Amino acid sequence: MVWDVLNVIGTIAFAASGAIIAMEVKYDIMGIYILGMITAFGGGAVRNLFIGIPIIELWQQTTLFVIAIITITVLFLIPQKAISIIREWNVFDAIGLSAFAIQGAMYAHSIHLPFLAVMFSAAITGAGGGIIRDVLAQKKPSVFCQEIYLLWAIIAGFIIGIGWAEEPYQLYTLFSIILLLRVISHRFGWHLPTRTVSTIVNTDSSI
């Protein structure tokens, strides 16, 4: 039951997130649907590829495809003001990250993959769709350069991999905590340490 609930929540959230980004960069209706679908299913597809699950498993999720299409359609039709409010709070992205990170970790843990593979599965399922979305929208992936994002997915994978969250109430509590942490980190602009390298400009014009 937890698996199914998180699957639906994550699909709705990331389909909406992808659609909103597509509208932001002024894609047409086809681009909005494609980016929404890729965001919703991209992370799971990449995860399956890395852990050896046949890619055909992706196409056996008819109900989730329908849910994603309905979600994108609703986002396309609602007023611009409502979309602006949703975009400001970044709520769909946070919900999708939390739901899919936990779902990805649960999947890897259920097939007895190593501890590091559980954390990787959480990270790539939770953030993979957003990375693909930003690349296709010709944006620098925010996962790597702007806010604390991927770290929350890794923490979810760590907790599940170590066996601290196995019961439904524990998993739902973890979902709420990761969601809250992501919303707070976005709201207050938390950042991980960065280091940049300046480009050396050659000012010597002599031949």
Side-chain angles (χ1 to χ4, degrees), residues 73-92:
T73 302
V74 170
L75 261 293
F76 186 77
L77 296 175
I78 66 174
Q80 176 69 34
K81 186 175 181 180
I83 295 177
S84 298
I85 294 172
I86 293 169
R87 179 69 181 130
E88 180 181 354
W89 280 92
N90 208 31
V91 64
F92 282 130

Side-chain angles (χ1 to χ4, degrees), residues 124 127-136 141 143-144 150:
I124 200 64
I131 294 171
I132 299 170
R133 175 201 65 202
D134 289 348
V135 170
L136 292 179
V143 171
F144 301 132
L150 195 62

Side-chain angles (χ1 to χ4, degrees), residues 186-197:
H186 173 75
R187 185 71 180 85
F188 292 99
W190 294 355
H191 296 268
L192 291 173
T194 61
R195 184 178 182 184
T196 59
V197 177

